[in-house]
Amino acid sequence: MVEPAPRGRNPFDETGVERGADGIARYADQPASLVHVLRASVERDPTAPAILVVGGEALTYEELWQRASRVAGGLAALGISPGDRVAIRLANGIDWVLAFWGAQLAGTVAVPVNTRFTEDEVDYVVKDSGSSFTFVDDAELPDGEPLIVEDLQPEDLAGIFYTSGTTGFPKGAMTSHVNFTTNAENCFRCMLEDPLTGRELSTLVSVPLFHVTGCNSQLIPTLKRGGRVEILAGALDMDGLFEAVGSHGITQLASVPAVYHAIMRHPKFSELDVSEVQYLSYGGAPIAESLVHRIQEGFPNARIGNGFGLTETSSLTSFLPHEDSSEHADSVGFAMPVVDVAIDEPDPDTLVGELLVRGPNVVKGYWNKPEATAETFVDGWLHTGDLARIDEDGLIYIVDRKKDMINRGGENVYSIEVENALAGAPGVGEAAAVGVPDDMMGEKVGAVIVPTAGDELDIDEVIRHCRSNLADFKVPQFIALRDQPLPRNPAGKVIKGQLRDETEWGKPLR
């Protein structure tokens, strides 16, 4: 029987957390469904701004409710019933938000489609989910008499988010209403301090809404609180981002480390008024301690932190708060109040093993995939596939994906640890660590580096930096430079199999 890891000095507020007979902790008094979440905010202040596309259309809470209810009525007029799946193949914008909330008000199951998927992958998602209708760009949204399905329950299915592995077709994570509402509460609890008392929460969505970060951890929590969601409509639009932050009073930012690096290197950054930014979070990739310090200096009024999660955990699993962001930059933080974590079969020397997660944010399983569900969701625990360790303080450290670990002559080298070191080296834009076949050692450590635009890469300096941060056997012995971005799947994960196939290694450095 798996026992949860001790929580150590976990700082998050556990008020109202109740543990059931099944051993799972839950928040008490949460809304029954996403319909209840939105209705409460509409009734609180119908004229408050809800959605704004930077440089485009805006909606108040009342307008969002009314228009989404007409989309729900339009779906019903097409013969679509509660429980049916509807696919959302739309770019970021007002229509995406109306499609998602229209699906919720109709009692249907929203299936966000990754717009970076190939046509084959899109066809697979639509067919696998059994979607009765697909929202597509350049088409009018369904329109009908206003409809609101009132009797939705916490365990009812509300969304299916398709994950992208590095091989094979994506799997649909079945996300219930309670998964969504739990994640929204997790987002509030990770703030620790709330300097926005009496002020409006406004978040800038610069990531795709079809991902759980944009939808589950920005759109839904902000609307639950009655705040304003501003959306960048296309690929990262620096002019729009600077307008939103500098002129619209954005109080919350969430993105990947590379975006903050780009923002602060921008020639206009020194002129940007960032005084309104109170919260800034990052995640999804290793971050150098030096970049953490630059973010702190660049956004002096913001509480910053590292969020970690999976599609299967509806977004947040853990969060590294501001107080620990510098000293423990390589950690993904503490488990959220209703999340238990454990290490499966830890190595007796390193205490590294597979990270297990349980909680009301963990999804029901994979749609139409009973074998994959049985393999991944075992006795109430999600087997993440991430190798991790948890220290006595309760801080979680992700060290690798199980399949990406490098075995160097019987010594385990975790690629993420190497990539964390490379991320802080001068001139490194992107980096991935992979195993290079070796007759004697089995594998040696290789690094594929994409230099930062405009910078010259000094390989000797990179190696010196790695030596100061890594044990000798973990320092890359092979380095290959690449002038194209690293190959990634539609979810942004590096496709290491392809990278190994594409890389030609020269002579070892030592």
Side-chain angles (χ1 to χ4, degrees):
M1 182 176 177
V2 177
E3 290 295 331
R7 299 189 73 81
R9 59 177 180 86
N10 190 302
F12 301 125
D13 180 12
E14 296 186 1
T15 302
V17 172
E18 299 175 353
R19 196 171 290 274
D22 57 2
I24 294 177
R26 296 174 176 85
Y27 295 118
D29 302 322
Q30 288 298 298
S33 73
L34 289 180
V35 173
H36 293 78
V37 167
L38 186 58
R39 185 200 299 277
S41 291
V42 172
E43 291 177 347
R44 190 161 53 242
D45 189 350
T47 63
I51 306 292
L52 184 149
V53 175
V54 180
E57 190 178 359
L59 296 175
T60 65
Y61 275 88
E62 184 174 24
E63 290 168 337
L64 171 58
W65 181 263
Q66 290 177 348
R67 290 182 59 178
S69 68
R70 292 193 64 89
V71 171
L75 290 172
L78 293 171
I80 297 168
S81 303
D84 288 350
R85 277 76 61 209
V86 293
I88 304 175
R89 191 184 182 186
L90 298 171
N92 275 16
I94 292 288
D95 279 1
W96 197 101
V97 175
L98 291 173
F100 179 83
W101 286 103
Q104 300 308 319
L105 297 184
T108 63
V109 180
V111 183
V113 179
N114 190 321
T115 57
R116 299 167 186 161
F117 277 165
T118 65
E119 286 299 322
D120 285 347
E121 287 175 312
V122 171
D123 289 344
Y124 175 82
V125 166
V126 173
K127 290 176 182 176
D128 182 69
S129 64
S131 289
S132 305
F133 179 82
T134 301
F135 294 92
V136 294
D137 285 320
D138 302 321
E140 294 291 327
L141 296 174
D143 187 39
E145 290 298 315
L147 170 68
I148 298 137
V149 174
E150 303 281 0
D151 58 351
L152 298 169
Q153 299 300 309
E155 296 296 337
D156 289 341
L157 194 58
I160 303 176
F161 287 81
Y162 276 78
T163 66
S164 270
T166 51
T167 60
F169 281 108
K171 300 188 290 290
M174 298 188 290
T175 311
S176 66
H177 287 279
V178 72
N179 294 152
F180 281 116
T181 58
T182 297
N183 186 72
E185 184 63 24
N186 282 341
C187 291
F188 300 142
R189 301 285 175 122
C190 74
M191 291 179 176
L192 289 185
E193 293 182 7
D194 189 354
L196 290 173
T197 303
R199 302 172 61 195
E200 179 186 72
L201 173 64
S202 53
T203 192
L204 179 64
V205 178
S206 60
V207 297
L209 284 164
F210 58 69
H211 275 323
V212 293
T213 298
C215 179
N216 300 15
S217 287
Q218 288 192 269
L219 176 68
I220 291 172
T222 305
L223 293 179
K224 184 179 185 220
R225 180 160 169 163
R228 184 178 80 251
V229 178
E230 296 204 12
I231 301 170
L232 292 181
L236 185 58
D237 170 12
M238 292 300 254
D239 289 338
L241 187 149
F242 275 53
E243 177 187 344
V245 173
S247 303
H248 299 178
I250 289 294
T251 57
Q252 181 191 51
L253 294 174
S255 199
V256 295
V259 168
Y260 295 117
H261 181 77
I263 291 171
M264 292 185 294
R265 285 175 61 93
H266 196 282
K268 294 182 181 178
F269 183 72
S270 61
E271 305 167 12
L272 181 64
D273 180 4
V274 298
S275 60
E276 292 295 313
V277 179
Q278 304 294 306
Y279 304 110
L280 185 153
S281 60
Y282 46 84
I287 187 167
E289 185 177 343
S290 59
L291 180 55
V292 173
H293 290 304
R294 293 209 305 277
I295 292 172
Q296 289 173 329
E297 293 169 1
F299 295 85
N301 293 348
R303 291 181 56 80
I304 74 169
N306 184 7
F308 166 74
L310 306 164
T311 304
E312 291 87 345
T313 62
S314 310
S315 194
L316 272 183
T317 294
S318 63
F319 193 82
L320 182 73
H322 182 83
E323 291 75 11
D324 291 285
S325 59
S326 293
E327 186 176 351
H328 301 286
D330 55 341
S331 171
V332 296
F334 303 94
M336 301 314 301
V338 292
V339 172
D340 290 322
V341 291
I343 300 297
D344 190 38
E345 299 183 355
D347 180 278
D349 297 322
T350 65
L351 302 182
V352 170
E354 184 178 10
L355 179 68
L356 308 185
V357 179
R358 74 174 181 184
N361 59 324
V362 174
V363 303
K364 291 170 169 283
Y366 297 122
W367 177 266
N368 212 22
K369 296 282 186 297
E371 291 182 3
T373 297
E375 180 181 342
T376 305
F377 302 84
V378 182
D379 296 329
W381 290 90
L382 166 68
H383 286 243
T384 66
D386 287 314
L387 293 175
R389 63 181 176 87
I390 302 171
D391 72 12
E392 60 185 11
D393 286 335
L395 285 163
I396 304 166
Y397 295 82
I398 306 295
V399 298
D400 216 341
R401 292 291 295 172
K402 286 176 71 173
K403 62 181 179 296
D404 291 335
M405 185 177 68
I406 301 164
N407 187 327
R408 183 188 181 279
E411 292 184 288
N412 292 337
V413 178
Y414 302 111
S415 63
I416 289 181
E417 186 178 10
V418 179
E419 289 160 4
N420 275 329
L422 289 166
V428 174
E430 289 187 288
V434 296
V436 179
D438 181 78
D439 289 341
M440 183 176 71
M441 303 296 289
E443 288 182 310
K444 290 185 177 179
V445 181
V448 182
I449 296 174
V450 180
T452 304
D455 287 344
E456 290 205 14
L457 188 74
D458 184 333
I459 291 179
D460 290 338
E461 182 61 29
V462 171
I463 293 300
R464 280 194 293 271
H465 178 85
C466 288
R467 286 190 183 283
S468 67
N469 289 275
L470 295 169
D472 182 67
F473 71 92
K474 300 177 183 179
V475 174
Q477 291 179 267
F478 293 85
I479 286 185
L481 301 185
R482 182 182 172 98
D483 59 6
Q484 297 294 317
L486 298 178
R488 296 178 184 272
N489 67 19
K493 299 174 184 175
V494 175
I495 306 173
K496 292 198 173 179
Q498 178 182 337
L499 192 61
R500 292 185 190 97
D501 293 342
E502 293 177 351
T503 302
E504 294 185 7
W505 302 101
K507 293 182 179 180
L509 300 176
R510 64 187 194 281

